[in-house]
Amino acid sequence: MDWDFSLILIVLVLAIIIILPLISSLKDRNYRCLIYSALGNKDYFKVTQRLKTKGIPYRTKVIINASHPGGISTQSGAADHSQYDIYVQRKDEHRANDAIHNHHAKY
């Protein structure tokens, strides 16, 4: 009985490890255009707010800088050494560039 339970548990864990990334990649497959790499959360929020204001959907991949132990810190005044790669759909590339780099542009 214990062997059957262990086998079922192992199969479930492996299924989750394989299926969750697959679902995530399918969900984000249309967001392949890297539009901006923000360094730190202040830059990230500035850029994503501009995209939100223009109604441009985006996805983010967070890369924690391994050379800075701890990466993201929630302490006030502490440096955030993370890189936030912001992706948009190819059809929104031009609008996203305008929104980020010329945030006063009208559409």
Side-chain angles (χ1 to χ4, degrees):
M1 185 84 172
D2 289 330
W3 174 249
D4 290 337
F5 177 74
S6 297
L7 183 60
I8 291 171
L9 186 60
I10 290 170
V11 169
L12 285 174
V13 169
L14 288 175
I16 290 171
I17 290 172
I18 294 169
I19 292 173
L20 286 180
L22 181 62
I23 291 170
S24 178
S25 68
L26 288 174
K27 182 180 111 184
D28 295 337
R29 71 182 178 270
N30 292 327
Y31 293 83
R32 293 190 176 162
C33 183
L34 177 62
I35 200 72
Y36 193 84
S37 290
L39 300 176
N41 58 17
K42 184 177 179 180
D43 191 26
Y44 168 76
F45 287 120
K46 177 184 72 176
V47 170
T48 56
Q49 183 58 45
R50 290 178 182 173
L51 294 173
K52 286 178 188 176
T53 299
K54 299 297 182 183
I56 302 168
Y58 63 90
R59 297 288 186 266
T60 305
K61 179 178 180 184
V62 180
I63 301 169
I64 297 175
N65 190 337
S67 67
H68 291 86
I72 300 172
S73 176
T74 56
Q75 298 175 357
S76 179
D80 177 1
H81 302 287
S82 297
Q83 174 179 326
Y84 301 84
D85 287 345
I86 303 167
Y87 295 86
V88 297
Q89 294 179 12
R90 181 76 54 201
K91 67 182 178 87
D92 293 325
E93 181 179 9
H94 181 73
R95 288 182 51 226
N97 268 315
D98 284 346
I100 292 169
H101 302 292
N102 185 17
H103 59 280
H104 298 294
K106 302 288 184 205
Y107 293 103

